[in-house]
Amino acid sequence: MAYADLAAVIAITPQRAAYDTTTIPTAAQVGTFLTDIAGEIDARLEAAGIAVPVTSPASFVAWLGRLNAYGAASLAEEAANPEAEGGGVAERWWTRYTDGLKAISDGSALPASLAQSGSSRVMPRSYGTDNPGSDGEPPAPVFAMSDRF
């Protein structure tokens, strides 16, 4: 489920009056971009332990919609101008999109009221974290770097 629609992409791409069957990209292709970008957003949310699709709070859903539209607009602009040099609007929109993905991953964009899914964040694991000593600390290493054999 996309968090944005074609109208949201058009709203941030004013140089494109509309997308239809004769434009590059077509309206159907922009719809595919929206769905693909929403899938990437949902994957980040799921990795953060958030149930998807997100339906509340409304302010966060609106932010996800803008994030979805920025990603799709960037892909649409790149499709329309494949030979364009970097630094244009497509790159700025893509940067906003990827910054939003990073904010989801590091948790800085996630409201505390979001519904958690059954899974939780995957934390780093090691022998020491899986097998703490009786005092709760990881066991001392068997060998040290200074040991000589």
Side-chain angles (χ1 to χ4, degrees), residues 10-120:
I10 293 171
I12 62 172
T13 56
Q15 70 278 17
R16 310 269 176 240
Y19 294 99
D20 58 32
T21 58
T22 63
T23 59
I24 298 175
T26 65
Q29 289 170 323
V30 175
T32 300
F33 296 156
L34 283 163
T35 302
D36 291 347
I37 293 292
E40 291 177 7
I41 293 169
D42 282 348
R44 291 288 178 108
L45 290 166
E46 285 179 325
I50 305 302
V52 295
V54 176
T55 57
S56 67
S59 60
F60 186 62
V61 174
W63 181 80
L64 291 174
R66 283 190 306 277
L67 189 64
N68 197 170
Y70 279 129
S74 177
L75 294 177
E77 188 64 23
E78 287 177 2
N81 300 300
E83 303 297 323
E85 293 293 322
V89 292
E91 187 174 322
R92 286 195 304 273
W93 295 329
W94 191 255
T95 299
R96 287 182 182 182
Y97 167 66
T98 57
D99 287 349
L101 289 181
K102 290 175 192 165
I104 291 171
S105 293
D106 69 21
S108 64
L110 303 178
S113 62
L114 280 177
Q116 297 288 318
S117 67
S119 63
S120 61

